[in-house]
Amino acid sequence: MLKYPPPLDYQLSFLKQWMKLVEDSNQELIEEIYELYTSLISKGLNDDDRNYCYKSYYLGEGDVFVTLKESRHIVSGGTTGLCTWQASMELAEWIAAEQKEAFNNKHILELGSGIGFLGLSVLKLTSPLSYTFTDCNVDVLKLLKNNVDINNIPGVPPIDTFTVVVKFKQKTNQCSCLFVVCYTFLMAGNQIVSTHLDWNSCEQLDFPPVDIVLASDVIYDTELIDPFINVLEKLLRPVSPARVPPVAYVASTIRNEDTYSQFLQKIDGSSLLYKEVKNELAKRIFYYDRRLIVSILEITYNNN
């Protein structure tokens, strides 16, 4: 928290309210608080402070936090992917409450990772064998790289480029952390294989078999529905009768009911099956606007 403090205006607002509470209770305020407040006022905002801030999310157990550098604007640089959205928080709450054991020793791939909130939460709460972050926006991936670095996942060295595969230990398991910038770089023996990841025109995905696919807040435009289902069908198709079939968990904030209904209809017309999972055991960990409905679907491949 000291190394990656919250926004300057948040610190000033917090201190101002706290000072008022102390003064209203007729308690004496120590001089150091006044000095801290005046020093923050004199500091002022630079361009980076105006556009970005650090946020630390408590994960509900021990002293486990995810700290992210994220945009202070909903849309920045032509993308909405530079900040954290509600569906990823609700999906993380559900995993923390009901699915931690199920995520252990699994190969997990996330579609539309954004700046890394969901993936970093999973890596800190569970013990996967591998976790693959994917996104198509270069600016988003640069921020994701930064956020992986500052969260100090055990055994992960600082990441210099996106074109390397970083091997690291996650708790007691060997885990590999992959980054996708238009191309996905995967380790195949001693070679690095690049595979283009394009939802709109992916005839074949060269990812290793995955056990779990995650996605959150990716269904906000009807033009994304068909490409997204196309990718899910390829990732969830069983590769071997001896292997447990993969499963996807997709969390969506329902901002437009027509868009979400079209998504469900498209799934019905595909080779996929879905059911809604209830967040019954999840305790509220994160602070966000809960007036909007978030749906979590479990999606599998229909072998019949």
Side-chain angles (χ1 to χ4, degrees):
M1 291 291 232
L2 292 176
K3 191 173 182 180
Y4 305 107
L8 179 60
D9 50 357
Y10 176 89
Q11 296 179 62
L12 288 169
S13 177
F14 177 86
L15 283 173
K16 186 176 181 179
Q17 292 296 321
W18 186 72
M19 289 162 63
K20 185 177 185 304
L21 286 173
V22 173
E23 290 168 351
D24 289 348
S25 63
N26 295 318
Q27 301 295 316
E28 184 178 354
L29 197 66
I30 61 174
E31 190 66 28
E32 286 82 353
I33 297 299
Y34 285 116
E35 292 175 357
L36 175 60
Y37 185 71
T38 55
S39 69
L40 290 174
I41 290 177
S42 63
K43 180 179 179 182
L45 294 173
N46 57 37
D47 289 340
D48 196 56
D49 291 331
R50 292 186 179 91
N51 294 315
Y52 293 94
C53 66
Y54 288 102
K55 293 184 180 180
S56 293
Y57 299 86
Y58 177 57
L59 298 187
E61 58 181 54
D63 60 349
V64 184
F65 290 82
V66 165
T67 297
L68 301 177
K69 183 178 181 180
E70 53 185 90
S71 174
R72 304 189 69 174
H73 311 290
I74 293 176
V75 179
S76 178
T79 179
T80 59
L82 294 171
C83 55
T84 301
W85 292 89
Q86 296 100 316
S88 62
M89 296 186 194
E90 185 135 342
L91 186 52
E93 286 181 342
W94 177 72
I95 293 169
E98 303 186 31
Q99 295 294 314
K100 284 199 291 188
E101 293 298 322
F103 276 53
N104 291 339
N105 302 311
K106 296 295 192 299
H107 295 285
I108 303 171
L109 182 143
E110 184 182 357
L111 296 170
S113 300
I115 57 174
F117 171 81
L118 180 59
L120 290 167
S121 297
V122 170
L123 287 170
K124 290 198 173 188
L125 291 171
T126 72
S127 299
L129 290 176
S130 68
Y131 197 101
T132 303
F133 297 90
T134 73
D135 207 289
C136 64
N137 186 285
V138 175
D139 291 332
V140 171
L141 268 296
K142 287 179 180 177
L143 206 50
L144 170 61
K145 169 192 173 296
N146 176 81
N147 287 334
V148 171
D149 287 345
I150 68 178
N151 274 276
N152 298 318
I153 304 296
V156 185
I159 300 165
D160 294 324
T161 70
F162 295 119
T163 60
V164 298
V165 174
V166 181
K167 296 284 187 178
F168 67 97
K169 288 185 177 181
Q170 169 64 19
K171 296 183 180 177
T172 59
N173 298 311
Q174 292 292 330
C175 189
S176 57
C177 189
L178 317 179
F179 296 84
V180 182
V181 187
C182 297
Y183 284 81
T184 306
F185 294 88
L186 305 171
M187 185 63 73
N190 293 321
Q191 298 179 335
I192 294 178
V193 181
S194 63
T195 304
H196 188 254
L197 181 63
D198 184 346
W199 289 10
N200 288 293
S201 60
C202 68
E203 297 302 322
Q204 183 176 356
L205 293 177
D206 293 328
F207 291 112
V210 297
D211 301 303
I212 298 172
V213 178
L214 298 176
S216 60
D217 267 329
V218 296
I219 304 301
Y220 52 86
D221 186 335
T222 55
E223 293 184 358
L224 296 174
I225 294 175
D226 285 335
F228 180 64
I229 290 176
N230 178 41
V231 172
L232 283 182
E233 286 181 317
K234 290 174 172 58
L235 290 172
L236 298 180
R237 184 179 290 114
V239 295
S240 168
R243 186 182 178 91
V244 176
V247 60
Y249 297 107
V250 179
S252 303
T253 304
I254 304 178
R255 299 180 180 87
N256 185 309
E257 292 188 3
D258 291 339
T259 300
Y260 191 68
S261 295
Q262 185 174 332
F263 173 49
L264 298 182
Q265 291 168 10
K266 290 284 188 176
I267 297 178
D268 285 332
S270 72
S271 58
L272 302 174
L273 299 172
Y274 75 87
K275 66 177 181 180
E276 188 165 4
V277 297
K278 300 297 182 182
N279 219 359
E280 295 173 349
L281 299 179
K283 64 179 180 179
R284 295 189 172 189
I285 301 174
F286 309 112
Y287 179 79
Y288 60 92
D289 186 356
R290 295 180 183 267
R291 292 173 294 179
L292 294 172
I293 297 173
V294 175
S295 170
I296 301 176
L297 298 182
E298 177 184 287
I299 302 177
T300 55
Y301 195 86
N302 185 1
N303 290 308
N304 297 327

